[in-house]
Structures are given as C-alpha cells and as structure tokens.
Amino acid sequence: GKHVLFSDKLISFSITHDSEGVKDGRNVLSNRELYDVTVAPRSFPPWVVLRNSTSNLMEGSTVLKAGESIAIDFDVNALVLSEGTTRSTVALGVILDGEFPGCLTDLDVTYEILVEITPEENLNHINNIRPVGLALMALAMTSAVVFSLWTHKLRKHRVVKASQPLFLELIGFGTFVMASSIVPLSIDDSIASERGCSMACIAFPWLFSLGFAITFSALYAKIWRLNKVTNAARQFRKLVITEQHGVLPIVAVFTINGVLLLCWTLIDPLKWQRQPVKEGDPSSTYGFCESEGNASTAFITLLVLLDLSALVLACVQAYRARDMNDELTESRWLGVACASWVQVLAIGAPVIALTRNQPVASYFVRSALVFLVCVSMLLFMFVPKMMLVYKKPQEAPKSSNKYSKQHVNTSQQELKRYQDRINQLEQSLKQASANEESKNSDLETPSNYSNYEGIEK
C-alpha cells in the first residue's frame, strides 16, 4: 500500500470572506502497486464534501486497479469557517486485494487542505465622493465661462473697458484651466487602469500650475500696465503701453511653468501606487501618486516658488494702485481675496498632510481647495465690476428740489440786498464828491485859478 499515493500532499485555498463560500478542488489518487486495492474514506473534515462524480467513494469504497488512477473531486464550504487559517487532513483507508486479500494496511493515504479566509480588501475608492468633486468643478468652470462671456459682451462699456477686458478674459480662462484639474483628481483604479491612473497623476500638476500661472500673471500685467500709465500721467509724461506689452509677463511665466513641468514629466514622473493603510494589514489599502526618485521634490519647489512669485507681484502692484478708483483696479478686493487664500491654505495644507492615507477625505479637501481658489478669484474680480455696471444713478430726494428753490430764492434776496447797498454807497460817494467841489470853488481866487491853469499847461 506504500505505492498508493495522492498527486498533491497539500491543497491550499485563499478565500475572501464576502465572496462565494464554496470552492471546488481535485486530487488524483494513483495505484502503483502490482495488484488491485480498495480505497474507502477514513476521515474527512466537516467542511469538505465529496462530489457525486467521485466514483463509488460516495457509497463507501471503490476498487482501484493496478496502474489505475482516480480523480477525487470535493467542495470546501468556507461559509462555516471563521476568518483566518484552517488546516485539516483527508484520509483514505487502503484494503489489499492481491497477495493478502481483505487485509487493511496500517498506512492510510492522506493529503491536507489549507484554507485561508481573509476579509474583503477595502480599496478605499472615491466612488461615493466623486460626484461632489465633479459638481464643484462644474460650478467653478461654469462661473468662469459666464464671467468671460459677460466681459466680452460688455467690452465697450466704460467700466469694463477701463478694466482692460483682455486681461479679465485671461483671468477667466486661467481659472477655467485651474478648475479642470479636479478631473484627474477624480480618477482612481476603480474606473481606470494603473497606466490611466499614472497619466492622471501627471495631468493634475500640469492643469493646476498652468491655470494658476495664467490667472495671476494676467492679474499682475493688468495692474502693472495701469500703474505705469498713471505714474506717467502724474509726471506729465507721455507713455504708451499696449496690451502686447502686458502680455509679455504672461507668456514668460507660462513658458517657464511649461518647461519645468515637461522636465518633471520626462525625468521623474508621478506614478500610481497602492499600499496598506496600516503596515502589515493588506485588507485595507489606498492608492496615491508618487514618483520613484527625488527630482520631483525639486520641481515641485520651483513651481511653487514661481507661482507664488506671480501672486506676490500681483499683490504688490495692487497695493501701489490702492488709491485708484474701483472702476480701474481691484486692489481692495484682491487684498480680501489674498487674506481668504491664506486662511484656506493655512487650514487646508495640514489637513491634506493628515489625510494622505484616507483617499475620500483627501480628495474632498483637494477639490474644495481648488474650487475655493477659483471661485474666490472670479467673485472678487468680476462681481464688483458687475455692480458698477448695473448700478443705477442715485435719484435726488424730493426734499432736495424744495431745498434748491429755497436756496435760489435766498441767494436772489441777498444779491438784491447787496446791490441796493452798493447803490447807496455810490450815491454817498457822489454826494461827498459834489460837496467837496463846491467847497473848493468857494476858497479859490481868480489869481490862484490862473496860476493853477498855468501849472496845468
């Protein structure tokens, strides 16, 4: 009976707890003896069930001829097992039919079944929160389109024309691009392959950085151009700065951003990875974007410094234009926007760091930050302009007409009184002059008069 063997000594199963609870298996029993043997079940674990196709083992025994093999099919009922690892032995007894017919060998034929039941892996996908992020993106992009169309439609209006509509439209376009960065944020391996997720990782910094650069470089160019013209007018100098001059800073910042992003993509691109939330616990994992080398840190630092420089320069120009009319500059509103951005970043940056291994919370915070930056820029730049455009001229109150008539009547009375006083003074002067002439004529003699005439001659 030593040559009656199973093909596999150990059969392993890995079953997820929430998956189907029945797994099928097969093992082959071969008789390599020179005589026939009869095999019969000796011991089976309660969670192993033989199938009907297994010859006569279901009835208690089966004959296995010399050189013959038989496939033993069975099912593992994992529903009755708890999470963890379960190991048990299946044993068949062998009865000799050759030289010693009817003898039971002292060696059973056995194999082991190992079942590992693991809880269903929690991939922490963002399927439930994704619609919220996409809704925020749609709202920001729609606002950018509406404000840009409004600017184009009313570009001839005095207020819009003074605000330089080309740069207002560029601000709207920049915020539109920046808001679209929520799209790659919304992609994970529940809706895309690993390669698709890696492409989304690369797309996010491209869209956000370029959109940010366009927005704030346009704002800087807009206010810088206004300050240049105003300062020249104060010094009584003629200075012409066209829109093409203002576009140069935008092109410069955009080009530098593009070069840095291209180098980052080629040298050390971001890639989609997945790792356990808690080390050593594969039941819960999360996906994230990370580069393999250290070059990405340098590129991120350079991009942040470049974009923040555009923001700081725009704020400096807005501060220099703080005394100008609101129809020309947005310095007051830009100051409010900068204060709000500082507060948002002061709260959002630590939250992003703390929720790095929590994809749902991290996705919501990142999407909300992008949305707040875009919408606050649009509202603070365009809403004050719209208020000035649609502001109705103030109507004078009814009492003002009455006051004006009274004021006119009073002025006329005073003017008449002054005129009478002037007439009285003129009459008094004439009377005094006449009296003085008559007095002088009485005192003068003819000789004296003749002498006077001589002197005159």
Side-chain angles (χ1 to χ4, degrees):
K2 294 182 179 180
H3 297 286
V4 180
L5 304 171
F6 281 105
S7 59
D8 296 314
K9 292 295 183 181
L10 176 65
I11 299 178
S12 301
F13 296 93
S14 180
I15 304 175
T16 304
H17 183 69
D18 294 334
S19 63
E20 292 185 10
V22 178
K23 287 285 187 178
D24 58 341
R26 166 177 285 192
N27 206 348
V28 178
L29 179 63
S30 301
N31 179 14
R32 298 179 183 177
E33 295 286 358
L34 299 177
Y35 42 82
D36 298 342
V37 297
T38 300
V39 293
R42 176 64 66 87
S43 65
F44 277 84
W47 39 271
V48 175
V49 180
L50 293 177
R51 290 190 195 170
N52 295 333
S53 61
T54 308
S55 188
N56 296 323
L57 283 179
M58 294 294 297
E59 300 176 359
S61 65
T62 187
V63 177
L64 190 59
K65 295 181 179 181
E68 190 177 50
S69 299
I70 182 174
I72 300 177
D73 297 319
F74 61 92
D75 291 328
V76 175
N77 184 12
L79 296 176
V80 298
L81 299 177
S82 58
E83 292 183 3
T85 303
T86 303
R87 186 168 185 162
S88 187
T89 301
V90 175
L92 295 179
V94 178
I95 303 173
L96 301 179
D97 291 340
E99 297 179 356
F100 308 98
C103 293
L104 185 64
T105 63
D106 58 354
L107 182 64
D108 292 336
V109 183
T110 63
Y111 68 94
E112 293 185 334
I113 299 177
L114 177 65
V115 180
E116 182 182 5
I117 298 181
T118 59
E120 184 179 9
E121 183 179 0
N122 182 11
L123 299 177
N124 291 294
H125 288 144
I126 58 173
N127 295 330
N128 294 330
I129 195 68
R130 184 182 291 115
V132 177
L134 295 177
L136 294 177
M137 179 201 69
L139 181 59
M141 295 175 72
T142 302
S143 301
V145 172
V146 169
F147 286 128
S148 297
L149 293 176
W150 177 85
T151 301
H152 182 74
K153 181 180 179 180
L154 298 180
R155 63 188 181 278
K156 301 293 186 180
H157 192 278
R158 174 179 55 85
V159 174
V160 178
K161 190 174 183 179
S163 299
Q164 307 175 68
L166 172 63
F167 297 103
L168 289 178
E169 291 174 356
L170 284 174
I171 291 173
F173 175 71
T175 54
F176 182 91
V177 175
M178 194 163 27
S180 66
S181 64
I182 297 179
V183 172
L185 276 181
S186 305
I187 297 176
D188 62 6
D189 50 9
S190 65
I191 60 174
S193 63
E194 183 177 349
R195 184 173 180 270
C197 293
S198 296
M199 294 176 64
C201 291
I202 298 172
F204 172 73
W206 274 88
L207 293 174
F208 184 82
S209 182
L210 291 179
F212 193 95
I214 294 173
T215 300
F216 288 96
S217 59
L219 182 62
Y220 163 78
K222 174 182 180 299
I223 306 178
W224 169 80
R225 182 171 177 242
L226 181 63
N227 284 334
K228 282 288 187 181
V229 173
T230 304
N231 292 334
R234 290 174 179 173
Q235 299 174 8
F236 300 100
R237 292 188 297 108
K238 183 179 180 180
L239 180 65
V240 177
I241 299 181
T242 63
E243 291 182 342
Q244 286 73 16
H245 291 92
V247 171
L248 291 178
I250 304 174
V251 175
V253 175
F254 183 86
T255 303
I256 297 174
N257 267 272
V259 171
L260 290 175
L261 288 166
L262 181 61
C263 293
W264 182 10
T265 302
L266 296 177
I267 297 173
D268 191 17
L270 294 172
K271 294 183 179 180
W272 179 261
Q273 301 181 23
R274 181 169 287 278
Q275 69 179 25
V277 175
K278 295 181 180 180
E279 189 175 355
D281 181 13
S283 62
S284 180
T285 61
Y286 70 99
F288 61 99
C289 298
E290 189 173 58
S291 58
E292 296 178 350
N294 297 323
S296 61
T297 304
F299 287 117
I300 292 174
T301 303
L302 292 174
L303 287 170
V304 169
L305 291 176
L306 178 63
D307 292 339
L308 287 182
S309 298
L311 172 60
V312 171
L313 290 175
C315 292
V316 170
Q317 293 296 329
Y319 179 77
R320 292 177 178 175
R322 64 190 183 278
D323 296 329
M324 294 185 187
N325 194 310
D326 288 344
E327 293 185 4
L328 301 176
T329 181
E330 304 84 6
S331 57
R332 179 177 61 169
W333 302 109
L334 181 60
V336 177
C338 288
S340 66
W341 294 331
V342 170
Q343 294 176 359
V344 168
L345 291 177
I347 297 174
V351 173
I352 291 177
L354 292 174
T355 59
R356 183 177 182 274
N357 59 351
Q358 302 176 29
V360 175
S362 179
Y363 170 73
F364 176 76
V365 173
R366 293 169 188 261
S367 301
L369 286 177
V370 174
F371 171 78
L372 289 175
V373 171
C374 295
V375 172
S376 59
M377 167 59 76
L378 292 171
L379 293 180
F380 287 124
M381 290 299 105
F382 289 92
V383 171
K385 301 297 179 187
M386 300 178 83
M387 294 175 62
L388 290 173
V389 169
Y390 297 112
K391 183 179 180 180
K392 295 182 179 180
Q394 295 182 354
E395 296 180 358
K398 296 181 180 180
S399 59
S400 61
N401 294 331
K402 181 179 179 181
Y403 173 78
S404 299
K405 292 180 180 179
Q406 292 178 352
H407 181 72
V408 170
N409 294 334
T410 303
S411 300
Q412 290 177 352
Q413 292 176 359
E414 291 179 354
L415 181 62
K416 185 177 180 180
R417 187 166 59 251
Y418 288 143
Q419 188 66 37
D420 294 341
R421 181 61 176 169
I422 290 172
N423 293 333
Q424 292 177 1
L425 290 174
E426 288 178 351
Q427 292 177 1
S428 299
L429 288 174
K430 288 180 180 180
Q431 185 66 32
S433 177
N435 295 335
E436 186 69 20
E437 289 178 357
S438 62
K439 184 178 180 180
N440 291 334
S441 62
D442 294 337
L443 294 175
E444 290 178 349
T445 58
S447 59
N448 291 335
Y449 181 74
S450 61
N451 292 334
Y452 177 77
E453 288 180 351
I455 293 173
E456 287 292 327
K457 292 179 182 179

